[in-house]
Amino acid sequence: MPNPHADHFYIDGSWRPSSTPDRLPVVDPASEEVFGAVAAGGEADVALAVAAARRAFPAFSSTPVAERIALLTRVGDLIERRAGLFADAMVREMGVAIGFAAAAQVPFGVAHVRVAADVLRRFSFIARHGTTATVKEPIGVCALITPWNWPLYQITAKVAPAIAAGCTIVLKPSELSPFSALLFAEVMHDAGVPPGVFNLVNGTGAVVGAALSAHPDVDMVSITGSTRAGVLVAQAADPTVKRVVQELGGKSPNVFLEDADFAASVGKGVLAAFRNVGQSCSAPTRMLVPAARLAEVEALAAAAAAQIVVGDPRRPETTLGPIANGAQFERVQAMIRSGLDEGAKLVCGGLGRPASLNRGFYAKPTVFSDVDPGMRIAREEIFGPVLSVIPYRDEEDALRIANDTVYGLGAHVQSRDLDRARRFAGRIRAGQVHINGPAWDGEAAFGGYKRSGNGREYGAFGLEEYLETKSILGYGAP
């Protein structure tokens, strides 16, 4: 599994050794064993990568749209051809179940590339208003900082629109799931990306992430990660007044209005909360239900959780693998303990591993009920398979609870009355709201209100984050 380029970075079109002797171990969360390591970059590596991106920018920013579409098409094709390699890497480095890797992690990653190409085909980089022209131009050198929970998906969500815009890139993937990123760098190379347009430097956020954020020749930073990490990036970027796009934490509500189809939707809500082992920033981990239906919801949620198969992520029957790393496993256990200590009703799950597993960062699918909105499990992002069922009195109370959070990334509304659901969705303070469990849409703007971040990703909205706006007055006749 360890990549032959693990001791190297991809800079200026070739693989180069790290400037430091330091290595970062990579742990298999299913066995808790170290199975590889990657180079830990330093400021010198960042400087080389940024310089390469800066040199490449003038030429790449002026390439014809057709060339960028062709490059993105090759990238998407190569990821699809190597889908098995990507899936295997993510199973090993962050414990995702092989079925979910093959059905979601890889295909959705490819979809971001396809969507970027489609958006680029129809995007207008110039608009005229009278004799004034408004021009959209690539912003410049972009530092892209990606997380461990959706490794390929988050890389393509940033790299694809940046390439579409005509920007050049330095990617810092998570040091906890680096091997899928190295595979992606191989794809970019084999797709024929010009030297310097795409660069990759592995390392920690404290060193590589901080150096990229502060670098005066970086024009933009896009980070997906915790709110704490997003704040640090923004602080480091502040002296150079660069653009910062942040997709950060969440505590998304799933609101069941009184007329919702509880029998059909509660189980789906549990699975949505536990998708990717609950390690999704937009996971709907607060289920808001009418107080009179609480017992019914508890039974439905317990039945859905009982169908989840926790185990070896390499087995096709597994639906929930381990938590991705030891630190996150301990965080999940601490939050479950908090729920118990604060008096939430444990419907299923609880502390420790499932009884059949004695090693690996496996957590029990856990449902708490009768959760008070002030409890830690109702307010803090857990990032694990833990669902809080919260009763409400009436629709206004449900809205108050849904919006009573420092986050505002995603939300869900369940109702048989579409007009009612639309009205409720319009009052939720979140960047993306799902009504009655719709299919994933790679063109729907994704990003948050409040401490969930700034800016948007996906589709035309994601492309525009990588563009500057220029007005040219006196441009000519309309």
Side-chain angles (χ1 to χ4, degrees):
M1 159 60 63
N3 190 286
H5 302 302
D7 289 339
H8 297 76
F9 306 133
Y10 188 76
I11 298 175
D12 207 14
S14 63
W15 293 96
R16 302 190 179 193
S18 170
S19 68
T20 80
D22 300 328
R23 297 295 179 265
L24 298 167
V26 184
V27 175
D28 182 339
S31 66
E32 303 182 48
E33 295 177 352
V34 174
F35 72 95
V38 292
E43 291 186 7
D45 304 297
V46 169
L48 282 174
V50 172
R54 177 56 63 194
R55 287 193 301 272
F57 178 70
F60 189 69
S61 63
S62 60
T63 53
V65 164
E67 287 188 19
R68 302 204 296 272
I69 291 172
L71 173 58
L72 289 168
T73 300
R74 293 193 298 273
V75 170
D77 290 346
L78 285 169
I79 296 174
E80 284 189 335
R81 290 175 198 163
R82 301 173 190 182
L85 293 174
F86 279 101
D88 289 343
M90 288 185 281
V91 169
R92 194 76 188 274
E93 69 189 1
M94 50 83 62
V96 63
I98 185 64
F100 189 74
Q105 291 266 10
V106 176
F108 289 169
V110 174
H112 284 310
V113 181
R114 303 297 192 203
V115 166
D118 289 343
V119 168
L120 184 55
R121 287 186 183 95
R122 60 180 188 265
F123 193 84
S124 177
F125 287 88
I126 183 168
R128 297 189 186 185
H129 313 276
T131 61
T132 295
T134 302
V135 181
K136 298 287 188 177
E137 298 180 341
I139 193 169
V141 175
C142 301
L144 309 180
I145 301 174
T146 57
W148 47 261
N149 58 322
W150 286 82
L152 175 64
Y153 176 94
Q154 291 291 353
I155 287 173
T156 57
K158 297 182 189 300
V159 170
I163 291 291
C167 295
T168 56
I169 295 159
V170 181
L171 170 68
K172 192 214 88 68
S174 171
E175 67 274 21
L176 300 176
S177 54
F179 290 118
S180 52
L182 291 173
L183 288 173
F184 182 79
E186 293 174 3
V187 162
M188 294 297 289
H189 180 82
D190 293 346
V193 66
V197 170
F198 172 85
N199 307 273
L200 179 149
V201 179
N202 273 315
T204 65
V207 177
V208 174
L212 283 169
S213 302
H215 201 294
D217 282 338
V218 169
D219 300 292
M220 170 189 173
V221 182
S222 177
I223 176 173
T224 296
S226 68
T227 298
R228 180 193 63 81
V231 168
L232 292 174
V233 165
Q235 290 172 337
D238 185 62
T240 50
V241 200
K242 57 173 60 73
R243 183 178 299 174
V244 178
V245 174
Q246 303 158 306
E247 196 271 281
L248 308 176
K251 194 68 179 175
S252 300
N254 189 356
V255 182
F256 283 71
L257 300 179
E258 291 94 333
D259 67 333
D261 187 342
F262 285 75
S265 300
V266 169
K268 293 177 181 177
V270 172
L271 297 180
F274 293 169
R275 185 179 69 154
N276 203 41
V277 203
Q279 298 167 139
S280 296
C281 49
S282 60
T285 55
R286 292 187 296 148
M287 184 177 286
L288 279 56
V289 304
R293 308 289 293 270
L294 197 58
E296 175 188 0
V297 170
E298 289 171 359
L300 290 167
Q307 299 303 308
I308 295 171
V309 179
V310 181
D312 187 341
R314 298 161 186 80
R315 294 181 177 175
E317 66 271 19
T318 295
T319 54
L320 216 65
I323 298 292
N325 56 75
Q328 189 56 36
F329 175 79
E330 293 302 329
R331 162 74 177 173
V332 171
Q333 296 302 308
M335 292 302 294
I336 293 173
R337 168 56 66 191
S338 173
L340 295 170
D341 290 345
E342 290 191 287
K345 179 181 179 181
L346 183 65
V347 174
C348 61
L351 291 166
R353 300 181 182 88
S356 61
L357 299 164
N358 57 17
R359 66 184 308 182
F361 303 130
Y362 295 97
K364 298 174 184 176
T366 298
V367 176
F368 284 107
S369 184
D370 204 14
V371 174
D372 185 277
M375 292 179 180
R376 285 185 67 197
I377 56 171
R379 304 202 68 80
E380 297 182 25
E381 186 175 42
I382 298 174
F383 232 60
V386 182
L387 174 66
S388 295
V389 180
I390 304 172
Y392 66 81
R393 295 187 304 274
D394 53 31
E395 192 167 310
E396 288 302 312
D397 191 40
L399 182 68
R400 179 190 63 79
I401 295 170
N403 286 334
D404 182 22
T405 172
V406 298
Y407 299 111
L409 187 56
H412 295 239
V413 180
Q414 315 295 333
S415 174
R416 288 186 172 94
D417 184 337
L418 185 57
D419 285 338
R420 184 183 185 187
R422 288 169 175 163
R423 289 193 299 270
F424 195 92
R427 300 172 70 195
I428 293 178
R429 298 282 295 168
Q432 191 176 87
V433 184
H434 297 229
I435 295 176
N436 294 329
W440 181 80
D441 182 355
E443 295 216 23
F446 184 71
Y449 289 25
K450 299 183 279 188
R451 296 186 196 175
S452 285
N454 293 294
R456 293 295 181 267
E457 294 189 306
Y458 308 175
F461 310 93
L463 173 61
E464 288 176 353
E465 295 290 356
Y466 295 91
L467 298 170
E468 287 280 24
T469 300
K470 176 187 287 182
S471 295
I472 307 177
L473 286 70
Y475 189 85

